[in-house]
Amino acid sequence: MQSDPLNDAMCVIKNASTNGKAECEIAPSSKLIGRVLKVMQDHGYINQFEYVEDGKAGKFRVMLKGAINDCGVIKPRYSVKVSDIEKYEARFLPAQDFGVLIFTTTNGVVAQDRAKELGIGGKLLAYVY
């Protein structure tokens, strides 16, 4: 029984990238995992991904670029105000303007730069660099 599917997905991506694989499969799938993958794709950390129906919960096939140094889920999921985003960037990312924090907001799952642009905070989900 899985307690955190997003954490399992990020671990699969990190391990596949570390081992130099060209692709990996994430099962089971969920809308949240799909939206996090979309943010990673938009920022150039993965090439593409596709949903594959397997008769159960489905799975994602992810094509990797080899651009990921580290990625993971942030627990507990902190509630972050717009004014505090920089504090969390300093805590979870290795350098300024390097890497992405992923938030879930009222406008969907977005990266920290989009959250600042919209002027909204949210719950901190994950990091990628």
Side-chain angles (χ1 to χ4, degrees):
M1 184 169 122
Q2 296 176 331
S3 60
D4 189 1
L6 181 60
N7 187 34
D8 295 342
M10 296 299 265
C11 287
V12 167
I13 292 171
K14 180 179 174 182
N15 291 339
S17 182
T18 302
N19 293 331
K21 306 267 180 170
E23 68 177 57
C24 63
E25 288 189 350
I26 299 169
S29 67
S30 72
K31 288 181 182 179
L32 179 65
I33 293 171
R35 290 179 181 134
V36 169
L37 290 173
K38 180 68 176 142
V39 170
M40 291 172 70
Q41 181 183 26
D42 292 344
H43 284 82
Y45 289 103
I46 61 175
N47 280 330
Q48 60 189 16
F49 65 96
E50 63 180 349
Y51 175 77
V52 178
E53 183 60 51
D54 64 353
K56 299 175 189 167
K59 57 186 170 185
F60 286 110
R61 183 172 293 123
V62 181
M63 309 301 166
L64 300 173
K65 270 188 172 179
I68 297 174
N69 294 318
D70 193 14
C71 64
V73 174
I74 298 170
K75 287 280 190 136
R77 294 201 169 135
Y78 298 108
S79 292
V80 180
K81 297 177 187 173
V82 180
S83 58
D84 293 340
I85 290 177
E86 289 182 12
K87 178 176 82 171
Y88 286 95
E89 285 177 357
R91 181 186 292 180
F92 292 110
L93 299 178
Q96 190 171 0
D97 296 331
F98 184 74
V100 175
L101 290 178
I102 301 172
F103 291 89
T104 180
T105 67
T106 56
N107 288 20
V109 177
V110 297
Q112 88 265 13
D113 54 351
R114 181 81 174 128
K116 284 181 188 174
E117 185 181 300
L118 294 171
I120 56 174
K123 296 249 183 196
L124 192 52
L125 288 178
Y127 64 89
V128 183
Y129 59 86

